[in-house]
Amino acid sequence: MMPEHMREHLVQYFGFKPSNVIVLTDHAKNKPTRSVILGALNWLVEGAAAHDSLFIHYSGHGGQAPDDNGDEADGWDEVIYPLDYKENSFIRDDQLHEMLVSRLPPGCRLTAVFDACHSGTVLDLPRIYSSTCRERHSHISNRSRTRGQSAADVICFSSCRDGETSADTFQGGMPVGAMSWAWLSALKRKEEHTYKSLLTATRQILEKRYAQRPQLGSNHEIVSPSISFAAANDL
């Protein structure tokens, strides 16, 4: 799935204004270097207020690095790789959490989709639901669990567990992230989803061809069906 397809879906079906959507690609003038990505994240959350609805989709390379502050139960930070990571390093989950979770005010909602290898806990959220919608409890340390509590409403769909890799596929003759394709396909097949039903539908599409197990992260308990993904458009 090309970034333009995600942008089109946000605008057409969820009411986002085209002027409020930024797309970064390797082939565009505004390339996703480390400084550009961090600048875009800052743009996304700057001035966020109660009842705002924010969305971020990352489809790219991900990995792991030794935990540098003791907040990971498995000793590894999850990271994403900007285009210039060899010169300017990767971006750790700690920094993503600080920018996309800690800075958000009460009543603001962020929906994130991370399609990358080792992305299961890429936002260090305190609650993680497996592809079977069962909550997992051993993915982060108690320190991180306490830090992860935020007054905002943050939801993150990840393409796989921390120890797994994410596959690519071809759609329309173009290479795309398999999870991104499956996630958007699930949305198009059924307009109304709860977060958990969307996770299940994404997994059902993926499992026919791929071993990766998508995850759902949240900073609050998810009680289905009281939370509707489609409702994010109304905030």
Side-chain angles (χ1 to χ4, degrees), residues 67-73 141 143:
D67 178 19
D68 64 351
N69 64 359
D71 68 340
E72 298 284 351
S141 66
R143 172 186 172 186

Side-chain angles (χ1 to χ4, degrees), residues 62-229:
Q64 292 180 302
D67 178 19
D68 64 351
N69 64 359
D71 68 340
E72 298 284 351
D74 62 358
W76 294 93
D77 278 333
E78 283 62 55
V79 304
I80 60 172
Y81 291 102
L83 192 61
D84 60 342
Y85 76 92
K86 291 184 179 179
E87 297 80 18
N88 295 309
S89 190
F90 43 69
I91 300 174
R92 291 181 183 268
D93 52 6
D94 300 299
Q95 188 166 11
L96 293 173
H97 180 96
E98 178 62 30
M99 297 188 75
L100 295 175
V101 181
S102 297
R103 288 177 57 183
L104 294 181
C108 179
R109 177 179 295 178
L110 170 72
T111 302
V113 179
F114 277 84
D115 187 355
C117 296
H118 311 291
S119 58
T121 61
V122 70
L123 290 187
D124 276 348
L125 297 174
R127 294 179 179 273
I128 294 292
Y129 297 84
S130 69
S131 56
T132 59
C133 292
R134 295 181 61 184
E135 186 175 0
R136 299 167 54 206
H137 298 279
S138 60
H139 59 287
I140 58 176
S141 66
N142 290 331
R143 172 186 172 186
S144 183
R145 187 176 297 277
T146 301
R147 182 194 67 168
Q149 298 297 333
S150 168
D153 178 16
V154 181
I155 293 289
C156 181
F157 292 89
S158 301
S159 59
C160 61
R161 290 189 174 190
D162 287 344
E164 296 178 339
T165 57
S166 293
D168 288 332
T169 186
F170 281 85
Q171 295 295 320
M174 299 294 293
V176 297
M179 184 269 192
S180 296
W181 162 74
W183 189 84
L184 193 56
S185 296
L187 273 180
K188 290 181 176 179
R189 293 178 184 180
K190 180 182 178 182
E191 292 186 2
E192 293 292 334
H193 268 292
T194 65
Y195 291 123
K196 288 183 177 180
S197 72
L198 182 53
L199 173 68
T200 299
T202 301
R203 171 57 175 159
Q204 289 173 345
I205 294 173
L206 283 172
E207 66 184 359
K208 298 174 184 177
R209 297 172 57 186
Y210 307 102
Q212 67 194 74
R213 293 166 290 181
Q215 310 287 290
L216 176 62
S218 175
N219 61 334
H220 300 294
E221 182 181 6
I222 297 176
V223 181
S224 180
S226 60
I227 300 177
S228 170
F229 175 78

